[in-house]
Amino acid sequence: MDRPDDPALARDVDARCRLTGQFTLRSGQVAGEYFDKYLFETDPGLLARVAAQMVPILPDDTDLLGGLEMGGIPIVTVLSAQSGLPALFVRKQAKTYGTCKLAEGPDVAGRRVTLVEDVITTGGAVRDATVALRDAGAVVETVVCAIDRSPGADNPLADVGLEIRSVLTKADLDAVHLG
């Protein structure tokens, strides 16, 4: 199945999210450019367009969509509505109170969960969620993301046997960057 035709998506996401100025990165380095992914996630029209591009790249055998805290939650909510598949909200750590759940929503045991993330660079949060969900009995083989910013051609999640399917890549965004 082909993705819906939206040739302007990369340009629109880049224009909305690429900021210039002085930014301290998580590593402590200072950069003159920053990509604020939350700007596309909080724009209803742009978020709906990104989710529409995700629907056809979902594995056919998906039972549940698992959105990762925090950036994957808005995407999985819209993607669930567009695809008709139930959503899970996957925490970074299980709650220590109440139900003590890692994933809020239907039980994952024996079900095929496709993870949903906003941006993947090194895949650390996705890796942790994959291991935790598998420990809970889920079958996790694929992550669908809005933007794959992982460096190089190697899959950063190959060590946990996870396939990455992305709507956009860093190269897509760089190719449309206007300046």
Side-chain angles (χ1 to χ4, degrees):
M1 178 186 244
D2 292 327
R3 293 183 202 171
D5 187 27
D6 193 347
L9 183 63
R11 183 198 66 219
D12 294 347
V13 168
D14 186 74
R16 184 83 169 102
C17 299
R18 193 183 299 247
L19 306 176
T20 56
Q22 186 172 354
F23 304 94
T24 301
L25 305 178
R26 186 182 324 199
S27 64
Q29 293 179 317
V30 176
E33 188 174 81
Y34 183 74
F35 190 83
D36 187 347
K37 61 191 181 182
Y38 294 111
L39 293 176
F40 88 76
E41 294 181 49
T42 56
D43 179 317
L46 203 47
L47 178 59
R49 288 169 59 198
V50 168
Q53 295 291 310
M54 287 182 164
V55 172
I57 63 173
L58 292 171
D60 291 337
D61 57 356
T62 299
D63 294 318
L64 301 169
L65 300 169
L68 274 61
E69 178 188 353
M70 174 167 129
I73 299 296
I75 298 172
V76 80
T77 302
V78 174
L79 184 57
S80 174
Q82 290 186 2
S83 68
L85 292 167
L88 295 169
F89 303 139
V90 183
R91 298 174 182 279
K92 291 179 182 165
Q93 295 181 347
K95 293 190 310 186
T96 57
Y97 58 91
T99 60
C100 300
K101 287 183 174 181
L102 172 78
E104 298 294 341
D107 185 23
V108 301
R111 308 206 49 205
R112 291 191 164 279
V113 177
T114 295
L115 296 179
V116 178
E117 182 62 304
D118 52 4
V119 177
I120 293 176
T121 304
T122 61
V126 175
R127 181 178 292 102
D128 293 346
T130 297
V131 170
L133 288 167
R134 285 176 179 165
D135 286 348
V139 177
V140 184
E141 298 175 336
T142 307
V143 58
V144 174
C145 66
I147 302 164
D148 182 354
R149 291 178 52 96
S150 56
D154 294 336
N155 175 351
L157 296 165
D159 61 317
V160 290
L162 207 59
E163 175 189 2
I164 299 173
R165 298 183 184 185
S166 66
V167 171
L168 299 168
T169 65
K170 182 178 184 325
D172 294 331
L173 297 172
D174 289 345
V176 299
H177 183 58
L178 303 175

